[in-house]
Amino acid sequence: MPLVRRQISRHAAQLRRDRTEAEDRVWQALRNRQIGGFKWRFQHTVAGRIADFVCLQAMLIVEIDGSQHSEKVDQRRTAELEAQGFAIIRFWNSDVFENLNGVLEVILATAQQRTEEERRRPSPNPLPLAGEG
């Protein structure tokens, strides 16, 4: 079977190589479905933006922000991603360093809540009623 290589942007590849210590700590906890069995992607492109961590199953984006982040820019970016159906939660680097377990608990609870809400949502293609079709 031929090797399949996912194409990522050069910028995302650079961000993966140059990840911050806070991003690395979160990634080591999320990778390989370690938290609730959820599959996470690191430095993944969504709607033309690169998100730190993305769980497509829960339509959840987690951002780890350092001092370089601008709230004004983040608000516009968040609105664009929410318009695509994603929920975004943000943590400061200091949150990760001071309370990694608390950060992971919030991430897990949010992912579980989002997937539960999705299960309750009626299907856009319901099965036909008995006797129909």
Side-chain angles (χ1 to χ4, degrees):
M1 178 188 285
L3 178 66
V4 176
R5 184 165 184 256
R6 222 176 3 181
Q7 295 295 319
I8 63 170
S9 74
R10 288 184 180 164
H11 184 60
Q14 185 69 37
L15 289 171
R16 284 182 184 181
R17 282 190 300 272
D18 297 338
R19 65 179 148 228
T20 67
E21 185 180 344
E23 290 171 338
D24 190 54
R25 286 184 184 194
V26 173
W27 180 234
Q28 294 308 317
L30 293 179
R31 63 193 300 258
N32 296 328
R33 299 180 188 263
Q34 295 178 83
I35 302 293
F38 289 99
K39 167 80 173 152
W40 289 90
R41 296 175 183 207
F42 178 58
Q43 299 297 356
H44 183 71
T45 304
V46 178
R49 303 288 190 160
I50 299 171
D52 290 341
F53 304 97
V54 178
C55 177
L56 297 174
Q57 176 186 355
M59 294 294 287
L60 177 62
I61 294 173
V62 175
E63 292 289 325
I64 308 299
D65 296 339
S67 59
Q68 76 278 10
H69 281 267
S70 159
E71 284 189 36
K72 192 174 202 177
V73 172
D74 286 345
Q75 285 175 348
R76 183 175 66 241
R77 185 174 187 270
T78 296
E80 291 172 6
L81 292 168
E82 286 175 340
Q84 298 290 321
F86 287 91
I88 294 90
I89 53 178
R90 296 181 175 282
F91 300 97
W92 289 104
N93 287 344
S94 59
D95 296 330
V96 173
F97 294 131
E98 295 169 12
N99 188 12
L100 178 59
N101 287 336
V103 167
L104 297 174
E105 286 175 15
V106 170
I107 292 170
L108 176 59
T110 306
Q112 289 172 330
Q113 178 186 15
R114 300 251 325 145
T115 54
E116 184 60 32
E117 288 170 2
E118 185 62 31
R119 273 182 269 200
R120 291 184 187 154
R121 194 169 291 131
S123 170
N125 301 312
L127 295 173
L129 297 174
E132 289 185 10

